[in-house]
Amino acid sequence: MNSQEFKWLPAGNKIKTKWGNNLNQNNIWNEYPRPQLERKDWINLNGLWSYSITDENALNPGNLDEKILVPFSLESSLSGVMKNLNEKEILWYYREFKIPENWKNKNILLHFNAVDWKCELFINDIKIGEHIGGYSEFYFDITNKLLEGKNKILLKVFDPSDKGYQPVGKQSLNPNGIWYTSISGIWQTVWLEPVSEKYIEKIEINNDFDNKEIKINCKLNKDENLPLKISLLYNEKEFMKIKGNSNSDIVFKIPEEYFHPWSPNEPNIYRIKAELFDNEDKIIDSIESYTTIRKIEQRKDENGYYRIYLNNNKIFNMGVLDQGYWPDGLYTPPSEEAVIYDINKLKELGFNTIRKHVKIEPYRYYYYCDKIGMLIWQDMPSGDRQENKWEHHQLNAGDDVKRSDESKNNYYQEWSEIINNLKFFQCIIIWVPFNEAWGQFDTEKVVEFTNKQDPTRLINSASGGNHRKCGNFLDLHNYPEPSQYLKVENLINILGEFGGLGLDIKGHTWKDDNWGYKTFKTKEEVTEKYEEYINLIINSFKGFSAAIYTQTTDVETEINGLITYDRSEIKVDKGRIKAANEKIINSLK
């Protein structure tokens, strides 16, 4: 059956967002998927693919008669499937494609922005390669395996979810309480792009706020220095253009009149255009990108407290815990418009920070945080959860998980890929390797490793404990009310989780059996309690620099969101929540 003839329908009867209800199977995440390095030519492979599920020992996919809507995971409603994959099964994907005539004499790259968890790629029945890691982009040059006319993609996926040791975040094959539905397979955009034999593979940007410098390094796919021209634009006006070479820093000394630092209140962005030349002065690659200029650091204030400083000014991070789950797409937002909605609503409620909780988002999420103005704490998705002691009321207590060497090596590999894929985005100011002792091991070594991957950001070593005296923060968790039960003088003291105030809005919940850390009957009651908690932090907590409220939206059986799971109802008084958040942010000025 032709994909154009197949009528896709969402699966199941769970609640959906308005974007999910209006989804067009032929128009799925059509925005360019990599805003940090953008080319004009590309083909979106999202849409209907064929799929099958076999046992783990199968050598081929068998019949591929059923359809799945990519990039939504197998378990999601929007995939049209809504089936679980267990640890003894294999998920196979298949589709065909053609290369445009005007791409001839180009190298063709096939990108997968995220596939959970371990996969093998075959092009025209020839194995191209493998990838391990559910949260990081990967791609292959498939040029030499392409045929005239029709070409075939076959992707083989293995994902044991929380039955394995790999990072899974809140995913569970047995969702309940704070654990949610697992996801498997493709869950971000799949796409093709044509490039020259030599091309800009990655753009690295290191900015020096104090010296008003932007350093741009265009890394090629080959270790070769070729001529470059890079233009810098502000408000679409080009104000600097510099010639240089690939694989080398090109330094822009920003004139005073064009020095516009980035902050949540002023999310200033510089656009970048780069052209790569061969040795005959012919353009062989053109890309667009962007950057901001900002500085993040730990510093002691005038009262002797260590604080978060942004652009040489202390800043209170008032944020929300954000799980990144959707009732219809699970891990995958139904559309870019839906992503923008979430960020804008939090901005309207007066928050300046999002703690992205044990989940990674598509690149365009972070792009919009840069563009809209939102600070991000980025968690590493937790994995290898075992029975170990969590002790968050004292320092150097609790047990480390005894991970196998294979598990440890996988953690370092996936965390390294995540950091190196995401460190481009200046909205991210804090890396969070561990949460509440879930899979926590060798904390000091992991913090050192994280710092080596990216020494430009702060590190919250173990949000909510087990606390080790390393990194930049002592991060407390307490539900529902905020509590300052522990202090450390030479770290930044923060409240990484509190709140969880529940309100059941009938007709907008995942199930009838729901819970919150403390439940209420009206928006007025939730708003009053929120205001009470904010005033408690302002008036009673000494030296605190951040507070993260749980949470952005309801998630599955949790009804403690500021917004319903289907994003249709705000569950608090917007004006009063905004005023409370502005009050605590301004209390540090």
Side-chain angles (χ1 to χ4, degrees), residues 476 482-487 493 495 540-544:
L476 308 181
S483 177
Q484 187 178 23
Y485 51 80
L486 191 62
K487 298 179 187 177
N493 288 261
L495 186 65
S540 302
F541 289 22
K542 301 300 181 185
F544 259 48

Side-chain angles (χ1 to χ4, degrees), residues 509-521:
T509 56
W510 182 256
K511 291 183 177 180
D512 292 331
D513 184 19
N514 302 302
W515 69 278
Y517 288 97
K518 188 177 180 67
T519 56
F520 299 87
K521 294 182 179 179

Side-chain angles (χ1 to χ4, degrees), residues 303-316:
N303 296 313
Y305 295 116
Y306 279 98
R307 303 286 192 185
I308 302 167
Y309 274 72
L310 176 66
N311 303 336
N312 295 325
N313 295 304
K314 59 187 176 182
I315 182 169
F316 193 95

Side-chain angles (χ1 to χ4, degrees), residues 317-321 351-355 498 530 547-550:
N317 285 200
M318 186 62 226
V320 283
L321 196 74
F351 294 98
N352 64 8
T353 303
I354 295 170
R355 180 181 169 204
F498 79 102
Y530 185 93
I548 304 295
Y549 177 80
T550 299

Side-chain angles (χ1 to χ4, degrees), residues 272-419:
I272 296 167
K273 295 183 179 181
E275 293 177 328
L276 178 69
F277 298 83
D278 63 16
N279 290 320
E280 278 83 50
D281 207 32
K282 177 186 175 183
I283 296 175
I284 57 173
D285 198 7
S286 298
I287 63 106
E288 293 193 13
S289 186
Y290 77 97
T291 191
T292 72
I293 191 162
R294 63 107 181 100
K295 176 184 178 182
I296 197 75
E297 62 180 332
Q298 171 183 322
R299 193 193 294 182
K300 190 179 289 188
D301 72 5
E302 65 279 4
N303 296 313
Y305 295 116
Y306 279 98
R307 303 286 192 185
I308 302 167
Y309 274 72
L310 176 66
N311 303 336
N312 295 325
N313 295 304
K314 59 187 176 182
I315 182 169
F316 193 95
N317 285 200
M318 186 62 226
V320 283
L321 196 74
D322 193 292
Q323 316 278 2
Y325 260 80
W326 300 79
D328 38 21
L330 297 180
Y331 252 29
T332 311
S335 69
E336 179 170 286
E337 185 183 357
V339 164
I340 296 169
Y341 172 90
D342 268 15
I343 301 168
N344 274 332
K345 278 291 172 275
L346 293 174
K347 189 87 170 179
E348 290 170 15
L349 288 165
F351 294 98
N352 64 8
T353 303
I354 295 170
R355 180 181 169 204
K356 184 51 62 177
H357 192 37
V358 293
K359 192 226 173 181
I360 309 301
E361 294 291 348
Y363 287 145
R364 294 195 69 85
Y365 179 95
Y366 301 98
Y367 166 68
Y368 277 104
C369 287
D370 277 341
K371 192 173 181 180
I372 293 169
M374 191 66 75
L375 302 169
I376 299 292
W377 300 9
Q378 181 59 61
D379 287 14
M380 168 61 167
S382 55
D384 208 348
R385 294 193 298 266
Q386 301 176 26
E387 291 296 325
N388 64 307
K389 186 179 180 182
W390 174 39
E391 177 48 74
H392 57 296
H393 282 81
Q394 51 186 304
L395 279 174
N396 298 316
D399 301 326
D400 277 5
V401 165
K402 305 301 181 186
R403 291 196 181 207
S404 68
D405 288 342
E406 186 179 30
S407 175
K408 289 181 181 180
N409 291 338
N410 184 79
Y411 175 96
Y412 284 121
Q413 174 196 324
E414 295 202 33
W415 188 217
S416 174
E417 287 187 9
I418 289 167
I419 292 172

